């Protein structure tokens, strides 16, 4: 399989529930992700962000519309084991819920080493070294990886979930609420790390969160979702400075109060997640 070049979503929808009570979780989303793009998807809880993210990585199938990777339908790539593994090497996903994303019976190291060996093709020793290096990069002591998932803090487990995705060195990383459970003090360093990872290797990032400041900080394009639909989509700075949809204006106002004449409040969400960088009072 060629290196990641494009993930294209064409009028993708997902509905849940029995036919007489169909509920559209995602409603006609069209989106293109290319190398180096950092796309933020923001919206309130229940707006369909996780469902969209899961479909992007093939964990959920769309009810309507299509998704293609480098021009080939995701569905057909997932059908065969060989192309499924190659897809996993290119595209990694960090899920919202880290308690269920690690096998409770295995040490964290074992869980992180598996993709390093199976997908990145490293031998055991090299895989262990990469586990150590990646844990350190995420600010977690390598010794902690010898514990089981229930024996570390939620924040440590969250960072190791990111580590497990990064050991594969994916060219597209899809993150669902990955900093939402972290202390503000570590959020900034994780966001910086994700950004630098993408810039350094021209990888793409899809960053999903209900938190506007973090999403705006990592992204160069921003999508605002509401009720399963993308209500606003544009360069992050444009969306922040001249939102067109009333809901986006509400989101912005909720984070830093009514917009001031100086526009100082508009910059606040970008600065908020960074340690030592306090937003201007609204
Ligand atoms: N597996 C599922 N079965 C039924 N409904 C679901 C399922 N997953 C999500 N939903 C519903 O779809 C909507 C969008 O959910 P979700 O994608 O998790 O939103 P978000 O991540 O933005 O909070 C919600 O109304 C949610 O209850
Ligand atoms: Mg979610």
């Amino acid at each position: 399989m060629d290196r990641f070049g494009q993930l294209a979503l064409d009028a993708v929808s997902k509905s849940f529930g029995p036919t007489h009570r169909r509920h559209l979780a995602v409603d006609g989303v069209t989106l293109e992700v290319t190398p180096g793009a950092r796309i933020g998807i923001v919206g309130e809880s229940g707006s369909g962000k996780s469902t969209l993210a899961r479909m992007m990585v093939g964990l959920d199938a769309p009810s309507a519309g299509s998704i293609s990777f480098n021009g080939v339908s995701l569905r057909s790539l997932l059908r065969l084991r060989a192309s499924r593994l190659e897809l996993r090497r290119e595209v990694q996903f960090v899920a919202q819920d880290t308690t269920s994303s690690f096998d409770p019976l295995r040490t964290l190291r074992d869980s992180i080493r598996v993709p390093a060996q199976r997908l990145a093709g490293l031998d055991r020793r090299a895989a262990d070294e990469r586990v150590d290096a990646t844990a350190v990069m995420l600010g977690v002591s390598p010794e902690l990886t010898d514990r089981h998932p229930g024996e570390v803090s939620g924040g440590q487990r969250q960072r190791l979930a990111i580590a497990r995705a990064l050991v594969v060195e994916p060219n597209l990383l899809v993150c669902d609420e990955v900093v939402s459970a972290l202390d503000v003090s570590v959020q900034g360093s994780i966001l910086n790390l994700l950004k630098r990872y993408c810039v350094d290797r021209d990888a793409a990032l899809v960053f999903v969160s209900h938190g506007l400041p973090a999403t705006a900080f990592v992204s160069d394009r921003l999508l605002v979702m509401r009720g399963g639909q993308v209500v606003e989509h544009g360069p992050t700075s444009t969306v922040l400075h001249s939102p067109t949809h009333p809901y986006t204006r509400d989101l912005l106002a909720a984070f830093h109060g009514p917009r001031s004449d100086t526009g100082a409040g508009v910059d606040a969400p970008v600065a908020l997640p960074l340690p030592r960088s306090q937003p201007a009072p609204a």
Side-chain angles (χ1 to χ4, degrees), residues 201-213:
R201 55 180 296 130
D202 202 29
L205 176 70
V206 174
F207 186 92
V208 169
S209 173
H210 68 276
L212 181 62

Side-chain angles (χ1 to χ4, degrees), residues 14-17 23-26 41-54 60 96 176-177 208-210 225 227-228:
K14 177 75 180 178
S15 51
F16 291 112
H23 167 73
L24 266 184
V26 172
I41 301 180
V42 71
E44 65 196 359
S45 176
S47 56
K49 307 180 300 294
S50 292
T51 306
L52 182 64
R54 291 175 53 82
D60 259 333
Q96 182 166 358
D176 190 3
E177 306 279 7
V208 169
S209 173
H210 68 276
M225 284 189 78

Side-chain angles (χ1 to χ4, degrees), residues 220-252:
D220 50 28
R221 265 205 291 154
L222 200 56
L223 275 77
V224 180
M225 284 189 78
R226 192 185 196 194
Q229 295 180 337
V230 173
V231 296
E232 182 124 13
H233 181 190
T236 299
S237 57
T238 308
V239 173
L240 292 181
H241 290 275
S242 21
T244 57
H245 196 278
Y247 178 66
T248 312
R249 286 187 217 124
D250 288 349
L251 260 189
L252 286 165

Side-chain angles (χ1 to χ4, degrees), residues 16-31:
F16 291 112
T19 39
H20 62 281
R21 256 200 345 221
R22 283 302 239 198
H23 167 73
L24 266 184
V26 172
D27 186 3
V29 173
T30 295
L31 171 68

